[in-house]
């Protein structure tokens, strides 16, 4: 007779989910026993790394990923990157072991006391099946929940003694829609507003990239002769940054953002919140006389927007429909944004000099994974991304995502046959949050390059201390860290890079290597403005 485990593995096969990311524990071993030959287990040395890898893999493949965690402590370890997966809109099926059902009343060691509450509110659905026989059907529901818009993680707590139980007939493997079109009547009203606008502007968010909608965004921008901004603190690149209409990334504070949009009578926001803010800089949400139109696939995002009229719909389908409805504008295109000033190559390098050198040596079709908050402005100022699927970071603002996500993205490049080169820029503070991911990259022999700007401090926090006038904050310096020694200890190649010429030759060699390379790059410890 087929067991619950047998039926579950058959369902995972039919859903195309034969890769499992995880860190095994005792409560997961009954599921993992006699691991099937047609499945692959990607071992992370800590649960946060497992979730980050699964997130990067899912985003780069465009398909949901499965991550298997260890009961309550393991889920707790993973929570930071589960929060990020929620904000990243990443479809994950997260399964976690639970103690034996016969002992749960006693709350034994490694029992999850309230397993469905632990990952809330950062999962779309959390469930522990009432019967062992319900496990496969619960997995099917978790899959259907995770992939539907807005996509995100779903969580299952699975008692360890369920797997050997006799199974009910298997559930049907189902498909569900992952995109939906906008309401036609409201779409026409949006189109009419844009057509009558004198100075429209577009603000694009990560959903544009997730929908593969760069061509649609370009077509609408050119039809409207409108400037294009990326929404504040974007987790994906949304528009070719060498396009003459592209103006850069909006600031993520209320007053400065509104000032940036001054002079535009209509602002169309597609695939982003209205707006993602962090430092509180008061001001009007919009300039006087500006109307905002908001396109999103998330009803909650539409509901919490402080201003504007909303339209629920897939970013790509809506952009395409608007382009067909809006007449070509009879006005000149917007002026191109100013080029950044040249920089001098001093030693140690400034952040701008480092990233100007990176831009000169950027690989064709490269993918950037970023988690260096204090250097982000310099990085985005100097390196312009021109292709879809080229930029990934954490929408949550929480550290510890970038390094394991880069591992998952590099693995996805291999698995999909795209083989796009992956370069991660990870600050020397961020580097240590999920540093265990280096070992997985080395074991998988991924040609991943990790650039670590070394300023020996939490420079972003020093910048916030200046902004908020809170001097004397402890714990903001990071002396005594040897990035190269840590990298080599996990099996990675590592070298110190001090000049732009060194960066070019070292980067080229690292991208052709049979494994990951960590580049420690001393930079000037200047504190950037927020």
């Amino acid at each position: 007779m087929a067991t619950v485990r047998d039926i579950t593995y058959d369902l995972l096969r039919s859903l195309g989910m034969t890769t499992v990311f995880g860190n095994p524990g005792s409560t997961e071993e009954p599921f993992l026993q006699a691991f099937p030959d047609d499945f692959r287990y990607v071992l992370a040395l800590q649960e946060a790394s497992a979730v980050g890898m699964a997130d990067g893999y899912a985003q780069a493949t465009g398909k949901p990923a499965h991550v298997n965690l260890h009961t309550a402590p393991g889920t707790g370890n993973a929570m930071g990157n589960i929060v990020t997966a929620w904000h990243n809109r990443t479809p994950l099926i997260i399964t976690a072991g639970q103690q034996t059902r016969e002992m749960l009343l006693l709350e034994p060691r490694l029992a999850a006391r309230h397993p469905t509450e632990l990952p809330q509110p950062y999962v779309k659905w959390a469930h522990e099946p009432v019967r062992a026989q319900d496990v496969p059907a619960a997995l099917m529901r978790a899959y259907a929940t995770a992939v539907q818009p807005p996509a995100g993680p779903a969580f299952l707590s699975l008692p360890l003694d369920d797997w050997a139980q006799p199974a009910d007939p298997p559930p049907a493997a189902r498909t569900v829609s992952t995109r939906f079109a906008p309401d036609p009547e409201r779409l026409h009203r949006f189109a009419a507003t844009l057509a009558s606008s004198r100075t429209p502007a577009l603000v694009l968010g990560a959903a544009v990239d997730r929908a593969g909608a760069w061509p649609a965004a370009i077509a609408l921008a050119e039809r409207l002769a409108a400037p294009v901004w990326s929404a504040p603190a974007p987790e994906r690149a949304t528009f070719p940054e060498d396009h003459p209409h592209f103006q850069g990334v909006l600031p993520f504070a209320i007053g400065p953002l509104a000032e940036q949009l001054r002079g535009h009578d209509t602002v169309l926001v597609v695939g982003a919140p209205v707006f993602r803010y962090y430092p509180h800089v008061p001001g009007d949400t919009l300039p006087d006389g500006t109307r905002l139109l908001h396109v999103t696939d998330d009803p909650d995002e539409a509901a919490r927007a402080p201003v504007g009229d909303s339209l629920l719909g897939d970013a790509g389908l809506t952009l395409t429909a608007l382009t067909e409805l809006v007449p070509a504008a009879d006005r000149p295109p917007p002026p191109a944004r100013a080029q950044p000033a040249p920089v001098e190559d001093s030693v140690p390098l400034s952040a701008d000099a480092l990233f100007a050198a990176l831009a000169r040596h950027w690989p064709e079709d490269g993918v950037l994974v970023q988690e260096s908050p204090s250097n982000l402005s310099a990085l985005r100022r100097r390196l312009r991304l021109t292709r879809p699927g080229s930029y990934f970071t954490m929408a949550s603002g929480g550290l510890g995502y970038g390094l394991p996500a880069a591992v998952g993205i590099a693995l996805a490049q291999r698995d999909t046959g795209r083989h796009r080169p992956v370069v991660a820029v990870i600050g020397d503070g961020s580097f240590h949050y999920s540093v265990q991911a280096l070992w997985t990259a080395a074991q998988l022999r991924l040609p991943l390059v990790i650039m670590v700007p070394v300023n020996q401090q939490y420079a972003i926090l020093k910048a916030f201390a200046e902004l908020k006038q809170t001097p004397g904050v402890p714990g903001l310096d990071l002396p005594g860290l040897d990035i190269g020694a840590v990298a080599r200890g996990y099996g990675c190649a590592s070298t110190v890079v001090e000049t732009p010429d060194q960066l070019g030759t070292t980067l080229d060699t690292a991208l052709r290597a049979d494994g990951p390379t960590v580049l420690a790059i001393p930079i000037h410890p200047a504190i950037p403005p927020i």
Side-chain angles (χ1 to χ4, degrees), residues 237-470:
T238 63
F239 196 83
E241 296 174 2
D242 59 349
H243 192 285
H245 288 225
F246 188 68
Q247 305 297 307
V249 180
L250 286 174
F252 62 151
I254 298 171
L257 189 154
E259 190 59 36
Q260 189 77 68
L261 296 176
R262 188 170 300 283
H264 295 285
D265 59 355
T266 305
V267 175
L268 175 67
V269 180
V270 181
V274 178
F275 286 105
R276 182 176 289 150
Y277 301 122
Y278 184 53
H280 180 58
V281 181
D284 295 326
T285 305
L286 289 174
D288 288 341
T290 299
R291 180 176 182 180
L292 187 139
L293 306 176
H294 184 206
V295 176
T296 177
D297 63 4
D298 183 356
D300 286 344
E301 189 171 87
R304 68 176 179 265
V307 295
D309 302 314
S310 67
L311 172 62
L312 289 175
D314 174 85
L317 297 177
T318 306
L319 286 166
T320 299
L322 285 171
T323 303
E324 294 171 354
L325 292 171
V326 174
D330 183 20
R331 55 177 161 260
R337 65 171 168 159
Q339 297 294 319
V343 290
E344 294 183 4
D345 294 336
S346 57
V347 177
L349 292 168
S350 67
D352 272 275
L354 168 60
F355 297 128
L358 177 61
R360 291 195 297 271
H361 299 289
W362 186 247
E364 184 180 1
D365 210 21
V367 177
L368 172 66
V369 185
Q370 182 278 130
E371 191 174 291
S372 184
S374 60
N375 301 307
L376 177 58
S377 293
L379 176 59
R380 299 306 306 273
R381 185 163 51 242
R382 300 292 170 177
L383 178 62
R384 298 193 173 178
L385 302 167
T386 61
R387 301 192 181 193
S390 295
Y391 178 69
F392 298 88
T393 189
M394 70 299 189
S396 65
L399 301 181
Y401 167 78
L403 185 53
V407 175
I409 291 165
L411 179 60
Q413 296 305 322
R414 175 187 290 172
D415 285 358
T416 60
R418 300 186 192 115
H419 298 291
R420 296 180 65 180
V422 180
V423 178
V425 175
I426 311 293
D428 59 346
S430 299
F431 181 77
H432 295 277
Y433 277 70
S434 297
V435 68
Q436 308 90 346
L438 292 176
W439 180 86
T440 305
Q443 293 298 307
L444 294 175
R445 306 187 73 83
L446 296 172
L448 170 65
V449 179
I450 300 115
M451 296 174 53
V452 184
V454 178
N455 56 17
Q456 299 186 50
Q457 60 186 332
Y458 290 127
I460 188 67
L461 295 181
K462 290 185 177 181
F464 271 103
E466 290 184 2
L467 176 71
K468 296 299 183 182
Q469 299 179 0
T470 56

Side-chain angles (χ1 to χ4, degrees), residues 41-335:
Y41 190 85
V42 179
L43 174 60
L45 300 185
Q46 208 261 12
E47 288 90 344
S49 289
V51 174
M53 289 177 202
D55 183 315
Y57 188 81
Q59 290 202 66
T61 60
K63 299 177 180 179
H66 178 197
V67 57
N68 184 234
L69 304 177
H70 180 46
T71 187
T75 304
N77 286 340
M79 272 308 301
N81 277 337
I82 292 175
V83 171
T84 291
W86 165 267
H87 286 286
N88 280 356
R89 306 289 178 80
T90 305
L92 295 182
I93 288 81
I94 302 172
T95 55
Q98 169 65 299
Q99 256 291 5
T100 306
R101 286 182 185 269
E102 289 183 341
M103 293 200 299
L104 285 180
L105 185 63
L106 306 176
E107 295 189 10
R109 183 182 178 89
L110 293 179
R113 295 186 62 221
H114 299 285
T116 61
E117 296 177 17
L118 180 56
Q120 305 255 16
Y122 293 104
V123 292
K124 293 183 67 179
W125 183 58
H127 183 67
E128 185 175 273
V130 175
R131 304 182 308 144
Q133 289 73 21
D134 293 335
V135 168
L139 178 67
M140 185 64 246
R141 179 172 170 179
Y143 178 95
T145 300
V147 300
Q148 290 187 79
F155 177 86
L156 293 176
S157 171
L158 303 174
L160 66 88
D161 54 331
D162 283 2
W163 300 108
Q165 298 301 314
D168 282 351
R174 302 182 295 113
T175 60
V176 294
S177 175
T178 58
R179 306 176 76 183
F180 61 90
D183 167 48
E185 180 180 347
R186 197 164 181 81
L187 179 73
H188 277 80
R189 291 208 296 271
F190 272 39
T193 300
L194 290 168
S196 63
S197 174
R198 293 177 292 101
T199 54
L202 300 185
V203 177
L204 304 178
V208 174
D209 198 41
R210 288 195 293 266
W214 279 38
I218 295 167
L220 182 60
E222 292 178 348
R223 196 158 186 80
L224 291 170
V228 177
W229 277 275
S230 178
E235 66 270 29
R236 303 275 288 256
T238 63
F239 196 83
E241 296 174 2
D242 59 349
H243 192 285
H245 288 225
F246 188 68
Q247 305 297 307
V249 180
L250 286 174
F252 62 151
I254 298 171
L257 189 154
E259 190 59 36
Q260 189 77 68
L261 296 176
R262 188 170 300 283
H264 295 285
D265 59 355
T266 305
V267 175
L268 175 67
V269 180
V270 181
V274 178
F275 286 105
R276 182 176 289 150
Y277 301 122
Y278 184 53
H280 180 58
V281 181
D284 295 326
T285 305
L286 289 174
D288 288 341
T290 299
R291 180 176 182 180
L292 187 139
L293 306 176
H294 184 206
V295 176
T296 177
D297 63 4
D298 183 356
D300 286 344
E301 189 171 87
R304 68 176 179 265
V307 295
D309 302 314
S310 67
L311 172 62
L312 289 175
D314 174 85
L317 297 177
T318 306
L319 286 166
T320 299
L322 285 171
T323 303
E324 294 171 354
L325 292 171
V326 174
D330 183 20
R331 55 177 161 260

Side-chain angles (χ1 to χ4, degrees), residues 464-520:
F464 271 103
E466 290 184 2
L467 176 71
K468 296 299 183 182
Q469 299 179 0
T470 56
V473 176
L476 302 187
D477 291 303
L478 300 172
L481 294 174
D482 189 334
I483 299 294
V486 171
R488 288 187 290 272
Y490 280 110
C492 300
S494 184
T495 189
V496 175
V497 172
E498 295 182 315
T499 68
D501 289 341
Q502 247 188 305
L503 177 65
T505 56
T506 307
L507 182 63
D508 183 62
T509 300
L511 288 170
R512 290 184 281 106
D514 184 24
T517 304
V518 176
L519 308 181

